[in-house]
Amino acid sequence: MSRPARWARRRPVAAVLALTALALLLRLVALGDRTMHWDEARVAYWTLRSVRGAGVAYRPIIHGPFLPIVVGALFERLGPTAFAARLPVAVVGGLAPLSALLFRRPAASSTTAAGSARFGLSDEETVALAALLAVTPSLVYYSRFMRSDVPLAVFALFALGFAVRALATGRRRHVVAAGLFVGLAVPTKENVLLYAACAGGAAAVAVGWPAVAPLLPWREEGDPRPAASAALRDSLARARRVAAHHLPAVPLALLVALVPVVFFLAPRGPAGDPNLGMALAGDAGWLALIERATVGTWETFRSSLWTGSRSHSYPEYAGKLWGYVLVGALPVAVGAGAAFVRELRSPSRPLVVPLVAWGVASLLGYPLATDIPAPWLSIHLVVPLLVPAAVGCVALVRERAWEFEVDPPDADARRRYARYALAALVVLSAVQVPLVLAATSITPPLYVNVLAQTAQPPEDLSPMRETVADAADDGGVLFYGEEYHLPDERVADRPPAEGENWLGWWLNRLPMAWYAERASAPTAHVGDAESLRETEPIPPVVFADPSEAESAAAVLEPRGYERTRYELGLYHEQAVVVFVDASRLDRRGTDRSVHSPPMVGVRRA
């Protein structure tokens, strides 16, 4: 290959690397500034408890143990901060544009008889895919958020990319690499089961679509129209040849996938028996540990609340989730739609229709499967549409949809208006991305922030955090009222097991419980004013639900406590009243949560 040809091949790689650097920058700058969302505080709390001796085991309430294990290691080294909690998700999300190179059309010399370069993207489409992964607002926002959705989506995308690479090149090593990323995706979140089902359906569509395409009445004239039955036989024969070629690599791929599955899903510490430490020390068999990590995890999931029935309104949930897709990923929706329409007219890109089918199945299925219409679910609706969107966006640019004839014939009026509408969508998409990025991931939480779920505190809670840290050495904090009831303060040391019913009350304590655990502050609870009067001494910080604040004030304010109200929900649906005895707090001009060494010792309780 000549030097100019080599440079032409390298330029897209350089562009993808530059977009990856941009993606990391967008995700890492000021990563710890936003107040922790309730869900972040919930998972971070139990992650810190696991570091302090509670151990780790799969609990559906915090989804897979991938994040708790990785974040726990960072807590030990960097301290329990919002930055450390979000860092793994930000890095995984920031590296997502690299997956675009896996979908790139291989050089002619890289293909084999079993492979086909037609599965790949052109250089322009590869760069477009990397750009969509780098700047799509929903992907950016939830890459700056301690949830498992982005790691699951990115690992699944890499697994898909390696599978496509195996098809395009015929090289079996890509099957093994795909197995590794499937293994990494499994311990992230239960949605991996939906990914597996959709991937199987997309594969079936890929095999069957060649038989459907010749039957489409609106195909462009001049396209060959083979018989549907012959096309299906040819497609099945190709699928059998590809399967036979790659089948020898499947056992090794499954074995490679099993490594991260067992590493992350096997219990650690006192949370389970047998656990990973026992197996490493020779006190438990590896077969028993593998069974515990696989069959045991499945049994735990099967008996969890996530497998229960759903009784919500489908139109309501579907409308919200589809709205999140349009707000957080409009260019993806427009590009995927354009690619799909082009494919219906002139089938030529085998990846487009199966992945659009995957996306449509997700759009229709998630409103049924989910228990809440949370905006982070839009990530799973967007991911399968990214590759078709890259194809469609490049096609729109090449066709210059914004250029029009000044006075086309009347017979072309409908086509002219369609082009106007398409041009408007293209311009709207280009303008929408920076606006949504600015209104969500860059500024503080806004009331109009559609991507932020309601449990995102709208204000800076660092004064509350500092107050709790200062109270850690003088009695800690007290939760007042029935809203914060727990049968025992120690019950929340680890996530609830099946049959335990205290979670609803404990969730009302968020994010205050995270701040208390972060500072190793003791916690206590009283249910009414009479019990509060009998408490001696009353801790210097008391949290009360606004509905019960007046009864607490009758006891606390005569003793010198001052009250402050904090909004805990983006739409003012949750709040807390904090009573503080400032005379007892140690104010030495330093924020111990920032300047002290990592606090990973045993909790004082």
Side-chain angles (χ1 to χ4, degrees), residues 3 75 83 263 477:
R3 287 182 180 274
F75 279 175
F83 176 85
F263 178 80
V477 301

Side-chain angles (χ1 to χ4, degrees), residues 173 175-184 249-263:
R173 67 190 185 197
V175 178
V176 178
L180 173 62
F181 280 96
V182 169
L184 287 171
V250 172
L252 180 58
L254 292 175
L255 184 62
V256 169
L258 189 62
V259 174
V261 168
V262 173
F263 178 80

